[in-house]
Amino acid sequence: MRKNLIIGLFAIMAYGSVEGQRLEMLPFGDMDRWMTREIEESFVIGGKTRYIYELATGDTLRNNTPYRPDLSVSPWATSSVLAKVSGVVKSSTTVFPEKRGDGYAARLETRIEQCKVLGIVNISVLAAGTLFLGEITEPVRDTKDPQAKLMMGIPFTERPASLVFDYKFQQGKDQGKRLRIAAGFGRDKELPGVNCAEVCLLLQKRWEDASGQVFSKRVGTAWVLYDTSTGEWINNQVLPILYGDITSHPDYQPYMGLINTENQQYCQNSKGERVPIQEVGWAAADEQPTHLVLRFSSSHGGAYIGAPGSTFWIDNVRLGYDQ
């Protein structure tokens, strides 16, 4: 796996306490610093100038330049992307900075993006607003295997007790009565169930074999779905991190299980190749992790699934440590 990603969150800083825990802010976890990207879309789809926002510092990025975060500074990536499909340049923005008090919060929105050029491309894709630790491969050139374009997780060797954050959630236009999928060139399909905002933190112990395959065991888990609009901000939400095999824990839910091929995650191995992370079991409860996976999303259930209009606000992302 890429050695130059080993940042270990050295930049985290003390940020108060909750329920006797010492809190440390993740880099850029206060959501106050954003970099703007200016995208000039192709003339055949209107030639509009659109903007993408990244949790980073720096001057506005222009000339349709693909973005790759400097993970030694900011470990965050978003589902907002620059796409180039069949030569047509288009952008999709699902994560935005929004003023909150004296600073900002991140606003994650589930949206449907369309790209139609007669005889060239006809795509309608539902994109959830997602903020995660890792990076995304740009430009996106198709709608196939979307998870393989997301490099999930960063090196991390600590054992925090909790994830702490502020949030607000608003259900989509259908008030959560159904999920809707718009996948590539296919037709939209209604799915049963309630749309949920998702928060997922995984601590993994990863290793790579001689052929470049990456395996992991699950060290720690903090995973929750929110199905009800909050109206107001919920501050200092505390999610305990459960260690070891949690399948018999009273708070365990099926969606917290080991990741399989249906919701596969990917990383870049030491050869520079994109490979799936094969989660092969539960680690011992006292095991030390090698990587931290963390994502916030306005919809759950996988790629191209969600309720249009669902909005999830996130601020002040911290890790809690027992004192």
Side-chain angles (χ1 to χ4, degrees), residues 36 46 228:
T36 302
T228 304

Side-chain angles (χ1 to χ4, degrees), residues 41-186:
E41 295 187 332
S42 293
F43 177 77
V44 293
I45 58 171
K48 293 181 180 179
T49 300
R50 298 183 65 181
Y51 298 92
I52 293 175
Y53 308 96
E54 306 288 350
L55 267 177
T57 56
D59 296 333
T60 298
L61 192 63
R62 296 184 169 87
N63 302 317
N64 294 352
T65 303
Y67 175 72
R68 190 170 191 181
D70 180 352
L71 296 182
S72 66
V73 178
S74 174
W76 297 96
T78 77
S79 53
S80 301
V81 295
L82 166 67
K84 190 173 184 180
V85 180
S86 300
V88 178
V89 175
K90 191 177 186 332
S91 64
S92 171
T93 306
T94 54
V95 176
F96 305 82
E98 182 171 297
K99 192 70 176 174
R100 184 191 182 204
D102 295 331
Y104 289 86
R107 186 178 84 245
L108 320 180
E109 294 185 10
T110 300
R111 295 181 159 198
I112 291 182
E113 290 284 352
Q114 295 181 330
C115 183
K116 296 184 180 182
V117 181
L118 188 62
I120 300 178
V121 63
N122 184 358
I123 299 177
S124 179
V125 174
L126 185 145
T130 302
L131 183 65
F132 67 96
L133 296 179
E135 56 187 309
I136 189 168
T137 303
E138 282 193 340
V140 171
R141 299 191 181 278
D142 55 55
T143 60
K144 299 176 182 178
D145 202 3
Q147 297 301 328
K149 299 172 176 62
L150 311 178
M151 303 295 103
M152 282 286 183
I154 60 172
F156 184 78
T157 57
E158 299 178 8
R159 289 172 54 87
S162 66
L163 173 68
V164 183
F165 55 94
D166 304 343
Y167 81 96
K168 182 171 65 170
F169 179 51
Q170 177 63 51
Q171 280 285 11
K173 297 176 182 178
D174 63 2
Q175 299 301 309
K177 295 178 182 179
R178 62 180 64 86
L179 299 177
R180 185 175 300 277
I181 182 169
F185 296 86

Side-chain angles (χ1 to χ4, degrees), residues 300-317:
H300 81 292
Y304 313 135
I305 297 177
S310 294
T311 308
F312 193 29
W313 290 264
I314 293 294
D315 200 5
N316 296 324
V317 180

